[in-house]
Amino acid sequence: MAGRRVNVNVGVLGHIDSGKTALARALSTTASTAAFDKQPQSRERGITLDLGFSCFSVPLPARLRPAPLGAEPEPEPGAEPRLQVTLVDCPGHASLIRTIIGGAQIIDLMMLVIDVTKGMQTQSAECLVIGQIACQKLVVVLNKTDLLPEGKRQAAIDKMTKKMQKTLENTKFRGAPIIPVAARPGGPDAPETEAPQGIPELIELLTSQISIPRRDPSGPFLMSVDHCFSIKGQGTVMTGTILSGSVSLGDSVEIPTLKVVRKVKSMQMFHTPVTSAVQGDRLGICVTQFDPKLLERGLVCAPESLHTVHAALVSVEKIPYFRGSLQTKAKFHITVGHETVMGRVMFFSPAPDSFDHEPVLDSFDFSQEYLFQEQYLCPGSVPAETDRGEADSRVGQASEGRCPRQQWALVEFEKPVTCPRLCLVIGSRLDADIHANTCRLAFHGVLLHGLEDKNYAESALPTLRVYKLKHKHGIVERVMDDYSVIGRSLFKKETNIQLFVGLKVHLSTGELGVIASAFGQSGKFKVHVPGGLSPESKKILTPALKKRGRAGRGEEAEQPEPVQHVALSLSFKRYIFDTHKRMVQSP
């Protein structure tokens, strides 16, 4: 019986044609020919190599042996534990983002493959961005060193190494190891007899960098399936990687996109039958009475643990390499769970007095009030003014460099998605020119709350207390008596002033007034001042008091203005999703 195995997942990322697949193949082949494992390499690879999965194993390093070893069966005395390295190769860029996000919870180390003759390219940079979001450790592989002129090879490698060190300086991967290799000397048309260069050293480096990740068997079972096929006389086999939780023989599992539940008939890890498996393990599950053509890739989970959502509340962060602003109402490609769909976003932040509160990344509080934003706030962002002097409350906030520590987005999907709660979300502009030297990844975040009701706009959004803070400014035209003034320039002629009756206004002279009624048909209005006008205010408004004219009611054709204008300001909240569109003022 073979010794127990610890599975670690290594993502292989890089620009198109940087040699990722050749590197994965060279690692697996080298592992086989160097006798890292006694079993034939084909048994170790399973059937997923063509889909971007291959693996090699080495003896489990002594420094890692005290760590928990997952759910594999206990080995027989004398059986040597092994470190299984599963390579998650992302072959085409279209699938890169989906693959990495889908496996973000279980990718433990990332290999960034660079064509040493070209250096960093657009997709290399995007891979680095994804790595910073999804991974904790990085190894840079300078591939295709065989294409460098032999006499200048080492100098070129040293130069590229320095360039990469500088690139990594401002990332969390500063100081990451960089190693040169030639995964396929001579290129794809070269004879197979050409041996890869630098692969044993790379395996040694990977083994030294890998640490045993903490796997959590609790929580609902969730598995990313990358291949599905039938075995005559046994049933349908789904192979993939467990993203969360655990599974045991006889458990019921659900294919959520199809709403199909099946019982686990048998399971294998590394072609060895097992009775249970945990987060991070590569696994094959056999079920009966299921057509494999219905599921090529996707999710399998504990029954009813995943839900289909039509919209979601996401805690978001802008990716600093994305050029331009993130605007409310803009559409992005939203990668969530294992799907990428179009979605429209609305950004919002805490109320201004909560800008400095500690971010909360595991829940969303519907009891709090939130401030609507026309765009994601970041230093240097310029808020757009609204008409007639109205502006939302972030005017000044961003321009002063004061930005909230946490911001959110309401993401409304064009078609529903099936995903777990607290999963990673990335917003991208994948329709941008792939050859342009710009980052297409715009923001990333955590899905805090999914809205499952198709009619969420009526059933759920009214409970989301996002408001716009409106400011309107006008002036006192004249005084009617010690407790009343006439104001203008606060409303348009066509405004229904009756909606604003009862709202408080502030006079620039310090008094507090209340809008009492409309005054005529031109947008003027009467303000009642409960505490009365102060002597100083009366003095400022004296010209108007002396020359009121004889017409005591209605509008007067011409009225002399006060020597000094007294401003009126009206501030109120309007909740975005309030069906009654009420205006609310602080007590």
Side-chain angles (χ1 to χ4, degrees), residues 96-131:
L96 181 144
I97 295 174
R98 296 177 183 85
T99 306
I100 292 305
I101 296 174
Q105 295 137 302
I106 51 83
I107 283 186
D108 310 304
L109 183 145
M110 178 175 118
M111 276 197 294
L112 181 62
V113 185
I114 301 292
D115 182 337
V116 74
T117 66
K118 296 177 181 175
M120 283 289 284
Q121 295 168 273
T122 305
Q123 291 165 23
S124 317
E126 290 183 343
C127 293
L128 190 55
V129 170
I130 293 172

Side-chain angles (χ1 to χ4, degrees), residues 463-490:
T463 65
L464 180 60
R465 302 170 70 194
V466 176
Y467 66 87
K468 287 183 178 180
L469 190 53
K470 298 284 190 177
H471 300 287
K472 288 176 174 284
H473 301 284
I475 58 173
V476 174
E477 183 180 85
R478 57 191 171 85
V479 174
M480 292 189 71
D481 55 47
D482 288 354
Y483 292 91
S484 302
V485 298
I486 301 300
R488 65 173 174 85
S489 303
L490 198 65

Side-chain angles (χ1 to χ4, degrees), residues 180-481:
V181 305
R184 186 72 191 268
D189 299 325
E192 293 283 350
T193 51
E194 287 283 341
Q197 301 162 12
I199 299 302
E201 292 81 0
L202 176 56
I203 289 174
E204 190 178 333
L205 176 62
L206 288 173
T207 305
S208 71
Q209 292 296 307
I210 285 170
S211 55
I212 303 297
R214 188 169 169 228
R215 304 301 194 194
D216 183 8
S218 66
F221 168 68
L222 178 62
M223 175 170 155
S224 165
V225 173
D226 49 67
H227 199 59
C228 190
F229 59 97
S230 61
I231 297 179
K232 194 171 182 181
Q234 292 191 38
T236 296
V237 175
M238 297 177 284
T239 65
T241 306
I242 301 178
L243 301 180
S244 68
S246 62
V247 65
S248 299
L249 209 58
D251 283 357
S252 291
V253 296
E254 180 185 6
I255 298 96
T257 52
L258 303 172
K259 305 296 181 190
V260 169
V261 176
R262 293 290 182 267
K263 191 163 279 193
V264 177
K265 181 183 174 185
S266 62
M267 300 193 302
Q268 286 190 4
M269 285 197 292
F270 323 120
H271 292 271
T272 301
V274 294
T275 56
S276 63
V278 297
Q279 182 189 49
D281 285 333
R282 288 283 302 162
L283 182 69
I285 289 178
C286 183
V287 299
T288 56
Q289 297 179 328
F290 179 70
D291 183 354
K293 293 176 184 174
L294 296 175
L295 182 72
E296 183 183 355
R297 287 177 179 237
L299 294 173
V300 174
C301 63
E304 298 184 7
S305 62
L306 282 193
H307 302 284
T308 300
V309 300
H310 298 267
L313 298 170
V314 179
S315 175
V316 293
E317 282 185 53
K318 184 181 179 184
I319 291 170
Y321 306 103
F322 182 76
R323 295 177 187 172
S325 59
L326 303 180
Q327 297 287 345
T328 282
K329 293 185 179 178
K331 284 187 176 182
F332 292 89
H333 290 89
I334 308 293
T335 305
V336 53
H338 289 251
E339 298 178 67
T340 298
V341 300
M342 293 302 293
R344 191 185 298 276
V345 296
M346 182 197 83
F347 294 103
F348 57 97
S349 72
D353 58 358
S354 301
F355 268 28
D356 296 324
H357 284 193
E358 195 74 27
V360 178
L361 297 176
D362 60 357
S363 62
F364 183 83
D365 189 351
F366 280 90
S367 69
Q368 294 294 316
E369 292 195 344
Y370 300 93
L371 179 59
F372 170 86
Q373 301 293 356
E374 293 286 354
Q375 65 182 41
Y376 180 91
L377 290 188
C378 50
S381 59
V382 181
E385 296 264 349
T386 54
D387 59 4
R388 293 191 63 81
E390 295 180 27
D392 63 46
S393 67
R394 62 188 178 81
V395 173
Q397 298 287 357
S399 57
E400 292 169 8
R402 183 170 176 258
C403 292
R405 293 183 63 187
Q406 184 172 17
Q407 295 179 64
W408 298 268
L410 167 67
V411 183
E412 300 182 87
F413 304 114
E414 286 195 353
K415 65 175 188 177
V417 297
T418 301
C419 58
R421 186 175 160 270
L422 301 183
C423 66
L424 186 59
V425 177
I426 289 188
S428 318
R429 281 279 167 77
L430 299 180
D431 49 349
D433 183 4
I434 195 169
H435 302 294
N437 189 25
T438 57
C439 178
R440 298 178 300 160
L441 310 178
F443 62 86
H444 68 96
V446 179
L447 192 150
L448 301 179
H449 186 87
L451 304 178
E452 298 174 39
D453 188 348
K454 189 176 182 180
N455 299 314
Y456 65 89
E458 292 80 33
S459 63
L461 289 188
T463 65
L464 180 60
R465 302 170 70 194
V466 176
Y467 66 87
K468 287 183 178 180
L469 190 53
K470 298 284 190 177
H471 300 287
K472 288 176 174 284
H473 301 284
I475 58 173
V476 174
E477 183 180 85
R478 57 191 171 85
V479 174
M480 292 189 71
D481 55 47

Side-chain angles (χ1 to χ4, degrees), residues 23-84:
L23 180 63
R25 188 179 294 118
L27 280 166
S28 300
T29 304
T30 303
S32 175
T33 55
F36 282 119
D37 199 289
K38 295 176 184 177
Q39 292 184 320
Q41 186 63 28
S42 60
R43 290 178 62 79
E44 292 301 326
R45 291 189 194 174
I47 44 76
T48 55
L49 184 59
D50 61 321
L51 290 172
F53 288 86
S54 57
C55 55
F56 65 86
S57 72
V58 296
L60 188 65
R63 65 183 177 85
L64 301 179
R65 295 196 184 197
L69 296 175
E72 288 102 335
E74 285 294 319
E76 293 176 358
E80 188 180 36
R82 312 278 300 173
L83 175 66
Q84 175 88 20

